[in-house]
Amino acid sequence: METIIPCVLMRGGTSRGPFFLGDWLPADPAERDRLLLAAMGSPHALQVDGLGGGNTLTSKVAIVSRSTRPGCDIDYLFAQVSVDRASVDTRPNCGNMLSGAAPFAIDEGLIAAADGETSVRVHNVNTGAIIEAVVQTPGRRLTYEGDVRIDGVPGAAAPVRLNFLDAWGAVTGRLFPTGLRQEVVDGIAVTLIDAAMPMVLMRAADFGLRGDESPAELDGNAALLARLERIRREAGARMGLGDVSDSVIPKPVLLAPGEDASQLSLRSRYFTPHACHRAHAATGAVGVAAAFLMPGTVAHDCGGPAPRAGYRSVRVAHPSGGMNIDVKLDERSGEVAAAGLVRTARKIMKGVLYLPQSAPQQAVQGVQAAPMAVAA
């Protein structure tokens, strides 16, 4: 017998992947991960036998449930499924896929829509952070239609506002896990930061790069990738993450000054971690923009302004365009207090997912009747 479970395929920001209610999957994490590998068709370069698209941006999974955390509406667990290895990493968050979590929860009846806009407090299970997602619900009905465009995605859609409320040090316990805003790893000046995503920020110029190279150029530079991985592994150990050779965090990021001196901007090339992102992770952009405003970081060295209270908008340029991040610094500590950005999402397909006999069978028992509900 095949394993049959409900599934909703969604685009979230510049990423795409299946969304599941927690009840649709096995409760045991190991069984769940084996099912997700089968669902995505991993490991295989093309993921031809599953839902994956042969790229890290299209090999992502979101799992949503009613929240068990006081003051939150939903729990959102993100899973990065490796394309070429039998590996599922639930340590990082993904802000792009996060943009689909609240619309998915409303669609599936976990949350009642308000008239006009619906504010959803999301508990990110991966990191423990809380994010407010503001979704468009005119007439108490969810809409994906709108006129907002984001770089890296064709067409327009309804805005999803993401306000990061306490994502600072969520994984490691500190915004700057080593207590330093800048240090040296393998001869390169780095900033080790945990702001919505643990990252290793570096200046592109220190590698002899301009900072505007295409992902193909960077991915084709084997010596660069090998050095970035050496630095990333040492950085992971310094950040208290242990051996990160089988983890996708921390993420290496190469930074350079922005083109437009009239606005707060910088260029970013974000690695996922072994290939350059075709656009940019939303969580990564939040951390990059925050570091840009904080003196002493390598990001601030790329033309960052003098510190100032209140929200400031930072343009993070990436290979597909850019995104604007609103960042507020704490007046006393000078560290990031809040940040927000706008993404879009779209439901692509809803139906049932068929998995081979080798997939965990526990899932069948828990959701045997669920496919009928989906069809209705």
Side-chain angles (χ1 to χ4, degrees), residues 39-126:
M40 302 306 285
S42 293
H44 187 273
L46 299 178
Q47 294 177 312
V48 69
D49 202 34
L51 292 173
N55 186 283
T56 55
L57 306 187
T58 52
S59 189
K60 300 183 175 187
V61 174
I63 303 168
V64 179
S65 310
R66 284 189 174 88
S67 186
T68 57
R69 180 167 176 170
C72 293
D73 299 305
I74 59 173
D75 287 344
Y76 157 71
L77 177 67
F78 167 70
Q80 180 72 62
V81 181
S82 176
V83 174
D84 55 1
R85 293 181 296 162
S87 172
V88 178
D89 196 349
T90 57
R91 298 176 75 177
N93 183 11
C94 174
N96 279 302
M97 290 289 278
L98 170 64
S99 62
F104 171 78
I106 294 172
D107 254 350
E108 293 301 321
L110 298 188
I111 300 168
D115 188 15
E117 291 184 339
T118 301
S119 175
V120 180
R121 287 179 70 89
V122 182
H123 168 220
N124 176 225
V125 179
N126 308 73

Side-chain angles (χ1 to χ4, degrees), residues 50-365:
L51 292 173
N55 186 283
T56 55
L57 306 187
T58 52
S59 189
K60 300 183 175 187
V61 174
I63 303 168
V64 179
S65 310
R66 284 189 174 88
S67 186
T68 57
R69 180 167 176 170
C72 293
D73 299 305
I74 59 173
D75 287 344
Y76 157 71
L77 177 67
F78 167 70
Q80 180 72 62
V81 181
S82 176
V83 174
D84 55 1
R85 293 181 296 162
S87 172
V88 178
D89 196 349
T90 57
R91 298 176 75 177
N93 183 11
C94 174
N96 279 302
M97 290 289 278
L98 170 64
S99 62
F104 171 78
I106 294 172
D107 254 350
E108 293 301 321
L110 298 188
I111 300 168
D115 188 15
E117 291 184 339
T118 301
S119 175
V120 180
R121 287 179 70 89
V122 182
H123 168 220
N124 176 225
V125 179
N126 308 73
T127 65
I130 299 174
I131 305 99
E132 178 193 38
V134 182
V135 182
Q136 303 305 300
T137 51
R140 299 182 183 274
R141 294 181 64 87
L142 175 70
T143 181
Y144 293 99
E145 300 298 321
D147 57 6
V148 171
R149 298 176 182 273
I150 62 173
D151 292 337
V153 177
V160 178
R161 175 78 184 182
L162 300 177
N163 296 316
F164 290 81
L165 306 177
D166 66 347
W168 329 121
V171 176
T172 65
R174 300 178 70 182
L175 177 63
F176 297 105
T178 66
L180 302 173
R181 294 196 177 192
Q182 194 168 146
E183 56 198 282
V184 176
V185 177
D186 196 31
I188 296 292
V190 304
T191 291
L192 308 183
I193 190 169
D194 180 5
M197 175 69 71
M199 292 180 291
V200 188
L201 306 182
M202 297 161 280
R203 290 183 291 261
D206 290 345
F207 294 87
L209 301 170
R210 302 180 307 276
D212 62 354
E213 288 83 1
S214 70
E217 287 180 82
L218 297 173
D219 291 350
N221 189 335
L224 170 68
L225 296 181
R227 191 171 191 194
L228 289 181
E229 180 61 10
R230 288 199 308 271
I231 294 171
R232 190 184 78 87
R233 293 188 185 191
E234 172 61 25
R238 293 191 190 187
M239 296 172 82
L241 298 171
D243 181 2
V244 298
S245 56
D246 290 326
S247 176
V248 297
I249 59 172
K251 309 282 192 178
V253 187
L254 299 179
L255 303 174
E259 289 184 349
D260 190 349
S262 66
Q263 63 176 346
L264 301 182
S265 66
L266 74 168
R267 293 175 179 148
S268 179
R269 293 298 182 263
Y270 183 92
F271 289 76
T272 63
H274 303 120
C276 183
H277 201 299
R278 269 49 185 168
H280 206 290
T283 46
V286 166
V288 165
F292 182 65
L293 296 181
M294 289 186 281
T297 69
V298 296
H300 192 268
D301 293 344
C302 295
R308 191 186 75 188
Y311 276 98
R312 307 183 79 172
S313 181
V314 177
R315 175 78 170 173
V316 178
H318 57 68
S320 296
M323 62 177 78
N324 295 321
I325 314 295
D326 297 323
V327 180
K328 181 180 181 182
L329 298 185
D330 183 273
E331 293 185 28
R332 288 178 294 182
S333 69
E335 295 187 351
V336 60
L341 74 160
V342 171
R343 299 275 81 192
T344 65
R346 187 173 82 84
K347 181 166 67 174
I348 298 171
M349 182 210 74
K350 180 175 180 176
V352 292
L353 177 64
Y354 293 83
L355 297 168
Q357 291 183 9
S358 58
Q361 296 300 305
Q362 289 92 326
V364 177
Q365 300 173 6

Side-chain angles (χ1 to χ4, degrees), residues 4-9 24 349-354 370-371 374-375:
I4 304 173
I5 60 173
C7 176
V8 178
L9 186 65
W24 297 348
M349 182 210 74
K350 180 175 180 176
V352 292
L353 177 64
Y354 293 83
V374 171

